[in-house]
């Protein structure tokens, strides 16, 4: 029987080690808005993801977690991105970005017919009732509008900043999509002027592509 | 059941559970095929192969692993497809293993386009390697309809032909040089060729069942979208929405357009404007960093072998005496291009006059060409603030003018510049083209010209739409003709085969000429019946084009060698005698 418990313990340990990758363990750290906790710094012209940060007004303070990642950046006045090898810089601009929306999608989007997403559409690691779960983060709902899309009853989260930076939870038939609407250039969570902030569920095997819908 | 047996059962159960968990973890692991080749044909083939097999794939586009590790997660299971001849990173397998990737397989190849044809696929698309810009369209079509795409040139036509002989179906797309077409055409069940990559991509798109969303590409690079999308991919210009493509969007009531890469943002804006904002436009511009270190990167592109097209306007002169606006176009690239322009002259918002070309004009590589527009301007109203406003389209062929000329740092036309008022000294030149012939033994076209005037004549010659290896080409040459009063012959290199010589019925010549480089604004157009001529032994050796120079060098080399051998033999004889 003793051997059984030892083996059972081993199995539990193994299970734990595997599920550990999807484990979110809020530390409860309260940090004043504008102080970066994790992630690398950024220049004001680059769009940056600060992984491991939740910037939600619905959660008390800023909680370090492995479940969420924040993206923010500028779309007005030109956009500059480097390729992954750091050798090529892509500078571009859109003549009028008023009303433009930035989307983060977890795959190639085959059909841009959008509808509202629910907790059931989300990855398992943000489902449930944990403090930093989807349902505790995307707590309000309203009509989502973009230059060409209107979707009713879309859950959204508001992230830190002097502007009202909202992230909307949407989906297509096969992908989940998070939309960041710009309130206009305003100070973001880190005090820098940004045009949008998006909050997305992110883990080690999550990859996002970014789209800009033209106004 | 005794205690011992019960214990064993538990051990077995637990072992089973462990195996189950391990298997589950493998099932969740990401497996990724990685193309490690500098050859765009290899990269396209690995990406296409992977998609047809339902596998994920990416490619290297740098000799540094940093780019790869920035967007691919550590611990990912990798299958390496490495070019034996042109890998980006030699021995990638070891390098990936060292930094924590699990390399499951390594496939080395010389020509993946021939080596990766998936088993069970017996329907083929054939495209000439010259039509690389069609590849994004072909990728989505091939994946949707389960075709393999052969990128054919003279180096692999034998192997491709052996596949086509046994094919269930063959679709050819785009034009082919005659030597390739002659070999492969007997196997074509269908040939999509509109002499325009835009229209070819549209016909491919017409076969899709849904047009709700359409992807746009400029065809100058590969990106993973083309190998993952279930939507048609249409080809457009880098900064210009092609009319045919826009008409397709309207005809099929397309709801959404995805443009791949930020470079096409201006095309997206043109769609929004032209459609009165009824078509949604999404610019796919970035990808998340793999290691969660905090960045969004630009998309990963693999460049296709596109020539760089550079056109600029170096000068604009208004000649009130001739009532002409002369625009100096400079082609700084290494391939000939066509341009088509509408120009207006303005004082602020007041338009003083405007003019348009009715036909695209060819400008040779590295050539500056003065192009004149008939225009009558009120000279008294011209000032330093007067502007010439250009809407100039240019491209590789007259039907593929898919680039707008823009000011540096601008993404959309017009191109605006100032103009000078100057009376150009256009003398009454006496210049003519008297004869043209093809010299098969020299692989050159000889053009006989005469200058019966008293001053040198500066000229820019074009032979329009000469059929070479089955395809029309425009050839050009610049030079100066001295006032000798006798016929002078200049040569342009061109290799015509027997069929070309039969198909070419005439030489269509255009000469722009003048008393100096700046004033080559007179135009002479002539047509000559196609004919061949035989050259004398030394004909052409002393013409100063590259072929003539090489011939001359070869002759001089042979003479020197002959003299040296003679000298050595003579010396050897004298040594024996001694």
């Amino acid at each position: 029987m003793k051997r059984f418990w030892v083996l059972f313990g081993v199995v539990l340990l193994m299970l734990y080690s595997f599920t550990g990758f999807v484990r979110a363990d809020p530390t409860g750290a309260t940090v004043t808005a504008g102080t970066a906790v994790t992630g690398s710094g950024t220049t004001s012209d680059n769009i940056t993801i600060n992984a491991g940060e939740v910037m939600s007004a619905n959660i008390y303070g800023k909680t370090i977690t492995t479940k969420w990642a924040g993206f923010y950046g500028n779309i007005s006045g030109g956009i500059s991105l480097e390729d992954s090898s750091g050798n090529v810089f892509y500078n571009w601009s859109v003549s009028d970005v008023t009303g433009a929306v930035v989307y983060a999608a977890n795959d190639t989007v085959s059909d841009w017919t959008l509808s509202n997403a629910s907790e059931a559409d989300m990855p398992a690691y943000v489902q449930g009732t944990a403090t930093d779960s989807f349902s505790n983060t995307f707590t309000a709902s309203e009509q989502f509008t973009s230059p060409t899309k209107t979707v009713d009853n879309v859950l959204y989260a508001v992230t830190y900043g002097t502007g009202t930076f909202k992230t909307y939870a949407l989906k297509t038939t096969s992908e989940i999509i998070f939309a960041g609407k710009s309130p206009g250039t305003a100070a973001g969570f880190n005090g820098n002027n940004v045009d949008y902030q998006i909050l997305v569920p992110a883990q080690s095997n999550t990859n996002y592509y970014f789209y800009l819908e033209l106004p | 059941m005794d205690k011992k047996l019960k214990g064993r059962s538990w051990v077995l159960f637990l072992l089973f559970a462990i195996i189950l968990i391990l298997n589950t973890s493998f099932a969740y692991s990401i497996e990724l095929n990685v193309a490690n080749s500098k050859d765009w044909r290899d990269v396209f083939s690995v990406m296409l192969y992977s998609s047809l097999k339902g596998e994920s794939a990416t490619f290297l586009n740098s000799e540094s692993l940093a780019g790869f590790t920035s967007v691919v997660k550590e611990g990912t299971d990798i299958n390496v497809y490495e070019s034996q001849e042109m890998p980006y990173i030699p021995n990638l397998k070891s390098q990936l293993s060292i930094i924590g990737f699990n390399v499951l397989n390594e496939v080395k190849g010389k020509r993946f386009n021939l080596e990766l044809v998936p088993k069970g696929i017996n329907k083929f698309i054939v495209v000439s390697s010259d039509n690389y810009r069609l590849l994004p369209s072909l990728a989505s079509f091939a994946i949707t309809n389960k075709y393999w795409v052969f990128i054919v040139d003279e180096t692999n036509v034998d192997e491709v032909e052996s596949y086509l002989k046994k094919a269930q179906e063959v679709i050819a797309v785009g034009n082919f040089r005659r030597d390739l077409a002659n070999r492969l055409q007997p196997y074509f069940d269908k040939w999509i060729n509109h002499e325009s990559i835009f229209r070819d991509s549209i016909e491919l798109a017409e076969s899709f069942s849904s047009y709700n969303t359409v992807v746009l590409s400029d065809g100058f690079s590969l990106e993973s979208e083309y190998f993952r999308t279930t939507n048609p991919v249409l080809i457009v210009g880098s900064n210009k929405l092609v009319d045919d493509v826009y008409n397709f969007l309207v005809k099929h009531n397309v709801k959404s357009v995805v443009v791949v890469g930020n470079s096409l943002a201006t095309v997206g804006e043109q769609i929004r404007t032209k459609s009165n904002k009824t078509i949604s436009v999404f610019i796919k511009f970035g990808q998340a960093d793999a290691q969660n270190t905090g960045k969004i990167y630009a998309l990963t592109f693999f460049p296709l072998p596109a020539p760089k097209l550079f056109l600029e306007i170096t000068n604009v002169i208004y000649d009130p005496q001739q009532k002409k606006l002369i625009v100096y176009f400079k082609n700084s690239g290494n391939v000939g291009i066509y341009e088509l322009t509408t120009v207006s002259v303005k004082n602020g918002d007041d338009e003083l006059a405007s003019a348009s070309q009715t036909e695209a004009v060819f400008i040779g590589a590295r050539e500056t060409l003065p192009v004149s527009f008939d225009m009558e301007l009120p000279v008294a109203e011209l000032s330093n603030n007067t502007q010439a406003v250009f809407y100039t389209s240019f491209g590789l062929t007259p039907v593929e003018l898919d680039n707008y000329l823009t000011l540096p740092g601008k993404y959309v036309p017009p191109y605006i510049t100032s103009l000078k008022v100057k009376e150009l000294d256009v003398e009454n030149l006496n210049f003519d083209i008297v004869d043209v012939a093809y010299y098969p033994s020299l692989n050159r076209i000889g053009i006989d010209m005469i200058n019966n005037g008293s001053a040198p004549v500066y000229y820019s010659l074009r032979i329009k739409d000469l059929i070479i290896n089955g395809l029309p080409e425009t050839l050009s040459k610049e030079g100066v003709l001295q006032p000798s009063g006798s016929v002078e012959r200049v040569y342009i290199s061109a290799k015509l085969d027997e069929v070309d010589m039969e198909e070419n019925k005439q030489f269509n010549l255009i000469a722009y000429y003048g008393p100096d480089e700046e004033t080559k604004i007179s135009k002479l157009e002539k047509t000559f019946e196609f004919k061949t001529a035989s050259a004398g032994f030394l004909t052409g050796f002393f013409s100063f084009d590259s072929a003539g120079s090489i011939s001359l060098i070869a002759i001089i080399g042979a003479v020197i060698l002959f003299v040296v051998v003679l000298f050595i033999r003579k010396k050897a004889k004298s040594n024996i005698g001694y």
Side-chain angles (χ1 to χ4, degrees), chain A residues 73-89:
Chain A
N74 296 88
I75 49 178
S76 55
I79 302 169
S80 176
L81 283 179
E82 63 177 338
D83 75 346
S84 59
S85 60
N87 294 326
V88 183
F89 283 84

Side-chain angles (χ1 to χ4, degrees), chain B residues 415-427:
Chain B
Y415 183 97
I416 300 171
T417 186
S418 58
L419 60 88
K420 295 176 201 159
V421 179
K422 185 179 177 184
E423 287 188 5
L424 295 174
D425 184 20
V426 182
E427 296 171 28

Side-chain angles (χ1 to χ4, degrees), chain A residues 48-49 82 95 107 110 148 204, chain B residues 73 228 231 269 280 294-295:
Chain A
T48 301
I49 165 177
E82 63 177 338
S95 56
D107 202 349
S110 53
T148 57
S204 60
Chain B
K73 290 159 182 61
R228 299 161 72 97
N231 297 310
E269 287 189 296
S280 307
K295 290 198 91 168

Side-chain angles (χ1 to χ4, degrees), chain B residues 53-92:
Chain B
K53 302 263 289 178
E55 299 166 359
S56 298
T58 188
F59 48 80
L60 302 184
N61 64 357
S62 159
E63 289 169 355
S64 161
L65 258 182
F68 178 80
T69 54
S70 295
V71 291
V72 178
K73 290 159 182 61
E74 191 181 327
T76 302
D77 292 338
I78 302 284
N79 299 307
V80 171
Y81 289 81
E82 185 165 299
S83 164
Q84 285 180 316
E85 291 169 354
M86 284 196 290
Y88 254 120
I89 300 176
N91 203 12
L92 178 66

